[in-house]
Amino acid sequence: MNTLLKRLPPTRLNRQRREVAFVVDPPGRFWLPAPQNPWVVSIIGAIAMGSGLIVVVELGEWLRGAEDLFPLTVFVIHTSSMAFLFVYPPLYDLICRLCKRERRTVLVPWEDVVAVCGFNPNLGPGAVTGFGWNFALLPPDPERPGYTLPGAGIMVSVGGLPGAQAQWEYIRRFMEEGAEAITPSAKEWGVEWYSAYVAREKAECERTNDPARWRRFRRKRLWEHARFAHWYTEYRMKHILPKAVPKDWLEEWSKPLPESQCAKPSVAVNELSEHLHAAYQRGEKFIEMGDVAKRFSVAVPATNYKAYPSFPFRTHAQPVLDNHH
């Protein structure tokens, strides 16, 4: 999974240029499945898990003196499937380079970006229906209206429509009003946060003189391997995910601009921002406003379909910054 994490295409927001940098896949189908393809990961993972279990069982019988030979065939299948998960991604990249299929960085104007909330009902074990929601930030394809660029965008699981709207409003306020308009995100994944969480729970149990509750809490956290999970999450955030971004990716594009060179929002965006600000002052909530363009009678201009600036997604590949900013 760490190998796949390093391949996650990054997305970067630039408020001053009012652009979003997406990493897109090459157009058209390819005869090889991508390493992050869920079918590839699940099938190879199932083969590795199943063959590994067989090796453990047969190896135990062999060590106890059974007449059967060492389970060499199943062992080779297990090791080969495990090695495949590490060897296939660089091999896939090499074949793509030979076939001149490279991912590209595309600079999309902020007002072209599309935000979507999807509802995904599903059937789980025991015929229990699950209700999943996803929030996605996507770049439209200027050559195919109604479609998005392949392999690009952000998609996260959310608790429902209000959660998706809250995610969107968080990003929107940063792009429209700046970092001072948003609250710092909660850091609920590191060892430091987990230690403070355990200390608060312990203090509460001592305050209420409830040792049984504390024992249940500790057993549950041990069963969940909670401390290890928070440590590993912190390790991946600090050491694995940064490897998905080339060292000098978008270095020139990311440099701060003087105020006079910053891109300006359109009239419609300014008008909507003023209406939203006034609504917040009245105590209204964004998640209860519905379609804000219709509610405040703001005419949104039609999308201008034209190709976006793009360049290869490689280290030292700098964008050509022309007058379109």
Side-chain angles (χ1 to χ4, degrees), residues 114-118 120 133-138 154-158 160 163-169 171:
V114 177
V116 178
C117 177
N120 303 310
W133 290 79
N134 293 321
F135 168 75
L137 198 68
L138 305 168
I154 303 172
M155 182 173 291
V156 295
S157 298
V158 292
Q165 291 178 317
Q167 289 273 2
W168 162 245
E169 180 66 350
I171 297 173

PDB file of all heavy atoms in Angstrom, residues 114-118 120 133-138 154-158 160 163-169 171:
ATOM      1  N   VAL A 114     -14.928  21.793 -10.838  1.00  0.00           N
ATOM      2  CA  VAL A 114     -16.256  21.271 -10.493  1.00  0.00           C
ATOM      3  C   VAL A 114     -16.176  20.525  -9.166  1.00  0.00           C
ATOM      4  O   VAL A 114     -15.268  19.719  -8.947  1.00  0.00           O
ATOM      5  CB  VAL A 114     -16.765  20.318 -11.596  1.00  0.00           C
ATOM      6  CG1 VAL A 114     -18.105  19.710 -11.201  1.00  0.00           C
ATOM      7  CG2 VAL A 114     -16.874  21.057 -12.926  1.00  0.00           C
ATOM      8  N   ALA A 115     -17.120  20.804  -8.263  1.00  0.00           N
ATOM      9  CA  ALA A 115     -17.236  20.075  -7.000  1.00  0.00           C
ATOM     10  C   ALA A 115     -18.497  19.214  -7.051  1.00  0.00           C
ATOM     11  O   ALA A 115     -19.564  19.689  -7.445  1.00  0.00           O
ATOM     12  CB  ALA A 115     -17.295  21.046  -5.822  1.00  0.00           C
ATOM     13  N   VAL A 116     -18.361  17.950  -6.662  1.00  0.00           N
ATOM     14  CA  VAL A 116     -19.468  16.989  -6.763  1.00  0.00           C
ATOM     15  C   VAL A 116     -19.583  16.224  -5.451  1.00  0.00           C
ATOM     16  O   VAL A 116     -18.579  15.871  -4.832  1.00  0.00           O
ATOM     17  CB  VAL A 116     -19.220  15.996  -7.924  1.00  0.00           C
ATOM     18  CG1 VAL A 116     -20.347  14.974  -7.993  1.00  0.00           C
ATOM     19  CG2 VAL A 116     -19.082  16.728  -9.243  1.00  0.00           C
ATOM     20  N   CYS A 117     -20.820  15.963  -5.046  1.00  0.00           N
ATOM     21  CA  CYS A 117     -21.087  15.070  -3.919  1.00  0.00           C
ATOM     22  C   CYS A 117     -21.858  13.869  -4.452  1.00  0.00           C
ATOM     23  O   CYS A 117     -22.912  14.037  -5.080  1.00  0.00           O
ATOM     24  CB  CYS A 117     -21.885  15.773  -2.823  1.00  0.00           C
ATOM     25  SG  CYS A 117     -22.313  14.688  -1.440  1.00  0.00           S
ATOM     26  N   GLY A 118     -21.316  12.665  -4.228  1.00  0.00           N
ATOM     27  CA  GLY A 118     -21.957  11.456  -4.729  1.00  0.00           C
ATOM     28  C   GLY A 118     -22.467  10.572  -3.616  1.00  0.00           C
ATOM     29  O   GLY A 118     -21.815  10.417  -2.579  1.00  0.00           O
ATOM     30  N   ASN A 120     -23.458   6.764  -2.637  1.00  0.00           N
ATOM     31  CA  ASN A 120     -23.151   5.423  -3.123  1.00  0.00           C
ATOM     32  C   ASN A 120     -23.716   4.358  -2.189  1.00  0.00           C
ATOM     33  O   ASN A 120     -23.024   3.905  -1.274  1.00  0.00           O
ATOM     34  CB  ASN A 120     -21.634   5.236  -3.243  1.00  0.00           C
ATOM     35  CG  ASN A 120     -20.997   6.270  -4.141  1.00  0.00           C
ATOM     36  OD1 ASN A 120     -21.450   6.488  -5.251  1.00  0.00           O
ATOM     37  ND2 ASN A 120     -19.952   6.917  -3.655  1.00  0.00           N
ATOM     38  N   TRP A 133     -20.991   8.336   1.175  1.00  0.00           N
ATOM     39  CA  TRP A 133     -20.980   9.616   0.470  1.00  0.00           C
ATOM     40  C   TRP A 133     -19.547   9.974   0.134  1.00  0.00           C
ATOM     41  O   TRP A 133     -18.629   9.736   0.921  1.00  0.00           O
ATOM     42  CB  TRP A 133     -21.585  10.716   1.344  1.00  0.00           C
ATOM     43  CG  TRP A 133     -23.067  10.591   1.564  1.00  0.00           C
ATOM     44  CD1 TRP A 133     -23.691   9.772   2.433  1.00  0.00           C
ATOM     45  CD2 TRP A 133     -24.093  11.313   0.884  1.00  0.00           C
ATOM     46  NE1 TRP A 133     -25.053   9.930   2.366  1.00  0.00           N
ATOM     47  CE2 TRP A 133     -25.333  10.888   1.416  1.00  0.00           C
ATOM     48  CE3 TRP A 133     -24.104  12.297  -0.111  1.00  0.00           C
ATOM     49  CZ2 TRP A 133     -26.546  11.383   0.988  1.00  0.00           C
ATOM     50  CZ3 TRP A 133     -25.320  12.798  -0.529  1.00  0.00           C
ATOM     51  CH2 TRP A 133     -26.527  12.349   0.008  1.00  0.00           C
ATOM     52  N   ASN A 134     -19.339  10.535  -1.042  1.00  0.00           N
ATOM     53  CA  ASN A 134     -18.024  10.989  -1.471  1.00  0.00           C
ATOM     54  C   ASN A 134     -18.095  12.448  -1.904  1.00  0.00           C
ATOM     55  O   ASN A 134     -19.087  12.878  -2.501  1.00  0.00           O
ATOM     56  CB  ASN A 134     -17.492  10.153  -2.641  1.00  0.00           C
ATOM     57  CG  ASN A 134     -17.196   8.722  -2.237  1.00  0.00           C
ATOM     58  OD1 ASN A 134     -16.697   8.484  -1.147  1.00  0.00           O
ATOM     59  ND2 ASN A 134     -17.504   7.778  -3.109  1.00  0.00           N
ATOM     60  N   PHE A 135     -17.039  13.184  -1.597  1.00  0.00           N
ATOM     61  CA  PHE A 135     -16.884  14.550  -2.097  1.00  0.00           C
ATOM     62  C   PHE A 135     -15.726  14.551  -3.081  1.00  0.00           C
ATOM     63  O   PHE A 135     -14.660  14.000  -2.794  1.00  0.00           O
ATOM     64  CB  PHE A 135     -16.599  15.529  -0.962  1.00  0.00           C
ATOM     65  CG  PHE A 135     -16.139  16.882  -1.442  1.00  0.00           C
ATOM     66  CD1 PHE A 135     -17.041  17.775  -1.996  1.00  0.00           C
ATOM     67  CD2 PHE A 135     -14.803  17.255  -1.366  1.00  0.00           C
ATOM     68  CE1 PHE A 135     -16.622  19.008  -2.457  1.00  0.00           C
ATOM     69  CE2 PHE A 135     -14.373  18.487  -1.818  1.00  0.00           C
ATOM     70  CZ  PHE A 135     -15.291  19.369  -2.367  1.00  0.00           C
ATOM     71  N   ALA A 136     -15.923  15.144  -4.244  1.00  0.00           N
ATOM     72  CA  ALA A 136     -14.892  15.154  -5.279  1.00  0.00           C
ATOM     73  C   ALA A 136     -14.696  16.563  -5.815  1.00  0.00           C
ATOM     74  O   ALA A 136     -15.653  17.325  -5.987  1.00  0.00           O
ATOM     75  CB  ALA A 136     -15.274  14.208  -6.420  1.00  0.00           C
ATOM     76  N   LEU A 137     -13.438  16.902  -6.061  1.00  0.00           N
ATOM     77  CA  LEU A 137     -13.056  18.161  -6.704  1.00  0.00           C
ATOM     78  C   LEU A 137     -12.387  17.780  -8.018  1.00  0.00           C
ATOM     79  O   LEU A 137     -11.337  17.131  -8.013  1.00  0.00           O
ATOM     80  CB  LEU A 137     -12.088  18.940  -5.806  1.00  0.00           C
ATOM     81  CG  LEU A 137     -11.910  20.433  -6.098  1.00  0.00           C
ATOM     82  CD1 LEU A 137     -13.202  21.183  -5.780  1.00  0.00           C
ATOM     83  CD2 LEU A 137     -10.753  20.992  -5.285  1.00  0.00           C
ATOM     84  N   LEU A 138     -12.997  18.152  -9.146  1.00  0.00           N
ATOM     85  CA  LEU A 138     -12.605  17.597 -10.432  1.00  0.00           C
ATOM     86  C   LEU A 138     -12.366  18.688 -11.483  1.00  0.00           C
ATOM     87  O   LEU A 138     -13.011  19.736 -11.444  1.00  0.00           O
ATOM     88  CB  LEU A 138     -13.695  16.652 -10.942  1.00  0.00           C
ATOM     89  CG  LEU A 138     -14.098  15.509  -9.998  1.00  0.00           C
ATOM     90  CD1 LEU A 138     -15.373  14.849 -10.496  1.00  0.00           C
ATOM     91  CD2 LEU A 138     -12.978  14.499  -9.891  1.00  0.00           C
ATOM     92  N   ILE A 154      -9.639  15.167  -6.623  1.00  0.00           N
ATOM     93  CA  ILE A 154      -9.627  14.742  -5.228  1.00  0.00           C
ATOM     94  C   ILE A 154     -10.957  14.062  -4.934  1.00  0.00           C
ATOM     95  O   ILE A 154     -12.013  14.567  -5.314  1.00  0.00           O
ATOM     96  CB  ILE A 154      -9.467  15.944  -4.286  1.00  0.00           C
ATOM     97  CG1 ILE A 154      -8.190  16.722  -4.609  1.00  0.00           C
ATOM     98  CG2 ILE A 154      -9.462  15.510  -2.836  1.00  0.00           C
ATOM     99  CD1 ILE A 154      -8.083  18.028  -3.846  1.00  0.00           C
ATOM    100  N   MET A 155     -10.911  12.922  -4.274  1.00  0.00           N
ATOM    101  CA  MET A 155     -12.143  12.260  -3.843  1.00  0.00           C
ATOM    102  C   MET A 155     -11.950  11.757  -2.416  1.00  0.00           C
ATOM    103  O   MET A 155     -11.002  11.025  -2.140  1.00  0.00           O
ATOM    104  CB  MET A 155     -12.511  11.101  -4.763  1.00  0.00           C
ATOM    105  CG  MET A 155     -13.813  10.407  -4.372  1.00  0.00           C
ATOM    106  SD  MET A 155     -14.361   9.168  -5.566  1.00  0.00           S
ATOM    107  CE  MET A 155     -14.827  10.200  -6.941  1.00  0.00           C
ATOM    108  N   VAL A 156     -12.823  12.177  -1.518  1.00  0.00           N
ATOM    109  CA  VAL A 156     -12.732  11.773  -0.116  1.00  0.00           C
ATOM    110  C   VAL A 156     -14.100  11.312   0.366  1.00  0.00           C
ATOM    111  O   VAL A 156     -15.138  11.756  -0.134  1.00  0.00           O
ATOM    112  CB  VAL A 156     -12.235  12.934   0.776  1.00  0.00           C
ATOM    113  CG1 VAL A 156     -10.813  13.314   0.429  1.00  0.00           C
ATOM    114  CG2 VAL A 156     -13.155  14.152   0.657  1.00  0.00           C
ATOM    115  N   SER A 157     -14.105  10.413   1.335  1.00  0.00           N
ATOM    116  CA  SER A 157     -15.349   9.951   1.947  1.00  0.00           C
ATOM    117  C   SER A 157     -15.813  10.976   2.973  1.00  0.00           C
ATOM    118  O   SER A 157     -15.003  11.529   3.714  1.00  0.00           O
ATOM    119  CB  SER A 157     -15.143   8.598   2.614  1.00  0.00           C
ATOM    120  OG  SER A 157     -14.772   7.621   1.670  1.00  0.00           O
ATOM    121  N   VAL A 158     -17.105  11.233   2.993  1.00  0.00           N
ATOM    122  CA  VAL A 158     -17.683  12.194   3.931  1.00  0.00           C
ATOM    123  C   VAL A 158     -18.897  11.559   4.597  1.00  0.00           C
ATOM    124  O   VAL A 158     -19.408  10.533   4.155  1.00  0.00           O
ATOM    125  CB  VAL A 158     -18.090  13.501   3.227  1.00  0.00           C
ATOM    126  CG1 VAL A 158     -16.870  14.255   2.743  1.00  0.00           C
ATOM    127  CG2 VAL A 158     -19.037  13.230   2.055  1.00  0.00           C
ATOM    128  N   GLY A 160     -21.935  12.596   4.763  1.00  0.00           N
ATOM    129  CA  GLY A 160     -23.225  12.880   4.160  1.00  0.00           C
ATOM    130  C   GLY A 160     -23.157  14.177   3.384  1.00  0.00           C
ATOM    131  O   GLY A 160     -22.087  14.776   3.213  1.00  0.00           O
ATOM    132  N   GLY A 163     -21.592  17.113   5.191  1.00  0.00           N
ATOM    133  CA  GLY A 163     -20.134  16.988   5.252  1.00  0.00           C
ATOM    134  C   GLY A 163     -19.477  17.370   3.946  1.00  0.00           C
ATOM    135  O   GLY A 163     -18.416  18.008   3.922  1.00  0.00           O
ATOM    136  N   ALA A 164     -20.107  17.000   2.818  1.00  0.00           N
ATOM    137  CA  ALA A 164     -19.567  17.360   1.514  1.00  0.00           C
ATOM    138  C   ALA A 164     -19.625  18.872   1.300  1.00  0.00           C
ATOM    139  O   ALA A 164     -18.680  19.483   0.781  1.00  0.00           O
ATOM    140  CB  ALA A 164     -20.338  16.637   0.415  1.00  0.00           C
ATOM    141  N   GLN A 165     -20.740  19.485   1.683  1.00  0.00           N
ATOM    142  CA  GLN A 165     -20.864  20.934   1.537  1.00  0.00           C
ATOM    143  C   GLN A 165     -19.865  21.664   2.431  1.00  0.00           C
ATOM    144  O   GLN A 165     -19.308  22.696   2.044  1.00  0.00           O
ATOM    145  CB  GLN A 165     -22.291  21.358   1.865  1.00  0.00           C
ATOM    146  CG  GLN A 165     -23.305  20.898   0.832  1.00  0.00           C
ATOM    147  CD  GLN A 165     -24.724  21.286   1.203  1.00  0.00           C
ATOM    148  OE1 GLN A 165     -25.137  21.161   2.349  1.00  0.00           O
ATOM    149  NE2 GLN A 165     -25.477  21.762   0.228  1.00  0.00           N
ATOM    150  N   ALA A 166     -19.619  21.112   3.610  1.00  0.00           N
ATOM    151  CA  ALA A 166     -18.636  21.724   4.499  1.00  0.00           C
ATOM    152  C   ALA A 166     -17.228  21.630   3.915  1.00  0.00           C
ATOM    153  O   ALA A 166     -16.438  22.591   3.994  1.00  0.00           O
ATOM    154  CB  ALA A 166     -18.686  21.057   5.878  1.00  0.00           C
ATOM    155  N   GLN A 167     -16.913  20.489   3.290  1.00  0.00           N
ATOM    156  CA  GLN A 167     -15.607  20.347   2.628  1.00  0.00           C
ATOM    157  C   GLN A 167     -15.460  21.387   1.521  1.00  0.00           C
ATOM    158  O   GLN A 167     -14.413  22.035   1.376  1.00  0.00           O
ATOM    159  CB  GLN A 167     -15.479  18.943   2.030  1.00  0.00           C
ATOM    160  CG  GLN A 167     -15.323  17.840   3.033  1.00  0.00           C
ATOM    161  CD  GLN A 167     -13.866  17.619   3.411  1.00  0.00           C
ATOM    162  OE1 GLN A 167     -12.975  18.312   2.963  1.00  0.00           O
ATOM    163  NE2 GLN A 167     -13.629  16.627   4.261  1.00  0.00           N
ATOM    164  N   TRP A 168     -16.506  21.539   0.729  1.00  0.00           N
ATOM    165  CA  TRP A 168     -16.451  22.497  -0.377  1.00  0.00           C
ATOM    166  C   TRP A 168     -16.312  23.923   0.129  1.00  0.00           C
ATOM    167  O   TRP A 168     -15.512  24.709  -0.377  1.00  0.00           O
ATOM    168  CB  TRP A 168     -17.702  22.374  -1.246  1.00  0.00           C
ATOM    169  CG  TRP A 168     -17.934  23.566  -2.127  1.00  0.00           C
ATOM    170  CD1 TRP A 168     -18.960  24.431  -2.077  1.00  0.00           C
ATOM    171  CD2 TRP A 168     -17.073  24.016  -3.183  1.00  0.00           C
ATOM    172  NE1 TRP A 168     -18.823  25.399  -3.021  1.00  0.00           N
ATOM    173  CE2 TRP A 168     -17.671  25.177  -3.723  1.00  0.00           C
ATOM    174  CE3 TRP A 168     -15.884  23.564  -3.725  1.00  0.00           C
ATOM    175  CZ2 TRP A 168     -17.103  25.892  -4.782  1.00  0.00           C
ATOM    176  CZ3 TRP A 168     -15.310  24.272  -4.768  1.00  0.00           C
ATOM    177  CH2 TRP A 168     -15.924  25.419  -5.288  1.00  0.00           C
ATOM    178  N   GLU A 169     -17.068  24.269   1.174  1.00  0.00           N
ATOM    179  CA  GLU A 169     -17.010  25.635   1.685  1.00  0.00           C
ATOM    180  C   GLU A 169     -15.641  25.934   2.286  1.00  0.00           C
ATOM    181  O   GLU A 169     -15.147  27.059   2.192  1.00  0.00           O
ATOM    182  CB  GLU A 169     -18.120  25.827   2.730  1.00  0.00           C
ATOM    183  CG  GLU A 169     -18.177  27.227   3.347  1.00  0.00           C
ATOM    184  CD  GLU A 169     -18.552  28.321   2.353  1.00  0.00           C
ATOM    185  OE1 GLU A 169     -18.595  28.043   1.134  1.00  0.00           O
ATOM    186  OE2 GLU A 169     -18.789  29.456   2.800  1.00  0.00           O
ATOM    187  N   ILE A 171     -12.742  24.737   1.193  1.00  0.00           N
ATOM    188  CA  ILE A 171     -11.844  25.013   0.063  1.00  0.00           C
ATOM    189  C   ILE A 171     -12.201  26.332  -0.598  1.00  0.00           C
ATOM    190  O   ILE A 171     -11.331  27.132  -0.968  1.00  0.00           O
ATOM    191  CB  ILE A 171     -11.916  23.849  -0.950  1.00  0.00           C
ATOM    192  CG1 ILE A 171     -11.414  22.562  -0.301  1.00  0.00           C
ATOM    193  CG2 ILE A 171     -11.103  24.169  -2.195  1.00  0.00           C
ATOM    194  CD1 ILE A 171     -11.606  21.328  -1.160  1.00  0.00           C
TER     195      ILE A 171
END
